[in-house]
Amino acid sequence: MNCRASWLKQAKVKELLSRHTTFKIGGPAEFWFEPKNPAELSRLIKIAGNKNIPFFVIGAGSNILAPDSGLKGIVIRLNKDYFKKTEFRKGKIFCGAGVMLGRLLSCARNFGLGGAEFLSGIPGTVGGALTMNAGVNESVEVSGCQSVREKTKQKTKSIGDLVESVLVMDYDGGISRLRKSGLEFSYRSSNLSNYIILSAVLKLTKKSKEEISADIAQYLARRRQTQDITLPSAGCIFKNPPNQSSGRLIDLCGLKGVSLGGAVISTKHANFILNKGKADARDVLGLIDLVRKKVKKKFGIKLETEIKIWP
Ligand code: EPU
């Protein structure tokens, strides 16, 4: 049996991406593959490279809009045990790319390690969170300013702040460890998007379990209070422009509640698009386009999507 046949045998064919995205949107992936370990992943990446087969890596699918027509190529999910390990040593946590952030937080709490509580309620994996430098963006109201442009200042807390090193695979299947000095994190972006993240070492700080629990509860409560988490979505659709909130700008355009097909702009947080049940990617793209046009016209600001629109 040649190598290609061997991975093909393990891959699922025509796996619906709507089953793997929090938006519950997306047609079939030609192949769906969950490697058991880095060696298996490396073999696959090399074959894909040699045969010019496109591949896509998916985490928890919480920041992706997948096309209705599906994807040609291989969608890879690091979901097997090897990629879901966590280990604590000397205030550091060694975690696989496939670990869900919620699990990371509860393990850290059990070890009395804090500092990552701001990630509470983000429905992502460590790998996905690192790639997009997930975090919270705490807007601080600036009093006395009249212009919408000056109304808020933003304080961000992102997973990149916690990173010591990341083990990555390049697109030739080679593995290397990137230390802090080689890592670049900025608002919802990193230089890790050119790699497949295998695992990471995060540095946390000693904190009592009670204090960690209280902070997690506070972050979750704030999320429940301000964000629409009752229907499928991909979280915030647009990045915030500097010192601005996309939610506020979209709200000021009067777009809350506007719907297209099965998709609707949340009435609770205008930077959320919800799937009312039967939305497809076309509906969401239509709303994205409408929002961009209205915000550009009213404020002269070009919104940039935070979600990844595949392919
Ligand atoms: N606002 C409105 N109308 C709305 C939504 C918000 O006027 O429809 C106002 C709020 O009242 C507030 C300001 O806009 O004064 C900012 O809103 P919020 O505090 O909800 O924060 P955000 O900037 O919209 C950011 C992140 C969220 C993160 C929260 C909380 C981005 C794009 N969004 O939202 O992240 O959870 O801060 O820290 O950076 C995500 O990345 O998917 C995401 C949801």
Side-chain angles (χ1 to χ4, degrees), residues 132 135-139 141 152 154 187-188 222-223 226-227 234-236 238-240 245 247-248 251 256 268-272 306:
M132 62 165 295
V136 293
N137 206 30
E138 291 166 346
S139 306
E141 299 281 338
T152 53
Q154 292 171 0
Y187 171 59
R188 296 298 190 271
R222 184 172 184 273
R223 199 172 277 274
T226 56
Q227 300 181 357
C236 285
F238 298 98
K239 292 182 186 176
N240 283 340
S245 156
R248 184 204 296 277
D251 192 354
K256 277 183 167 174
K268 194 166 176 182
H269 194 301
N271 199 8
F272 277 57
E306 176 185 306

Side-chain angles (χ1 to χ4, degrees), residues 70-86:
L71 281 177
K72 278 229 163 301
I74 313 163
V75 176
I76 299 166
R77 170 121 203 228
L78 305 183
N79 201 28
K80 297 287 189 211
D81 290 351
Y82 181 95
F83 297 104
K84 286 163 71 171
K85 286 186 212 150
T86 52

Side-chain angles (χ1 to χ4, degrees), residues 20 32 34-38 58-60 77-88 93-108 124-128 167 197-200:
H20 301 280
W32 175 274
E34 296 182 5
K36 284 195 202 69
N37 50 44
I58 193 168
R77 170 121 203 228
L78 305 183
N79 201 28
K80 297 287 189 211
D81 290 351
Y82 181 95
F83 297 104
K84 286 163 71 171
K85 286 186 212 150
T86 52
E87 209 184 307
F88 289 83
I93 170 163
F94 298 71
C95 49
V99 173
M100 290 297 292
L101 294 175
R103 203 174 134 246
L104 175 84
L105 292 176
S106 60
C107 293
T125 58
V126 167
L167 192 69
I197 297 169
L198 303 176
S199 63

Side-chain angles (χ1 to χ4, degrees), residues 11-12 55 66 78 96 101 109 118 141 170 179 188 191 199 211 217 226 245 259 265 277 295-296 305 307:
K12 288 186 184 168
F55 65 86
L78 305 183
L101 294 175
R109 173 173 49 195
F118 64 87
E141 299 281 338
D170 60 36
R179 311 261 163 208
R188 296 298 190 271
N191 61 342
S199 63
E211 217 183 323
T226 56
S245 156
S259 66
I265 296 175
V295 171
K296 179 83 180 66
T305 52
I307 58 164

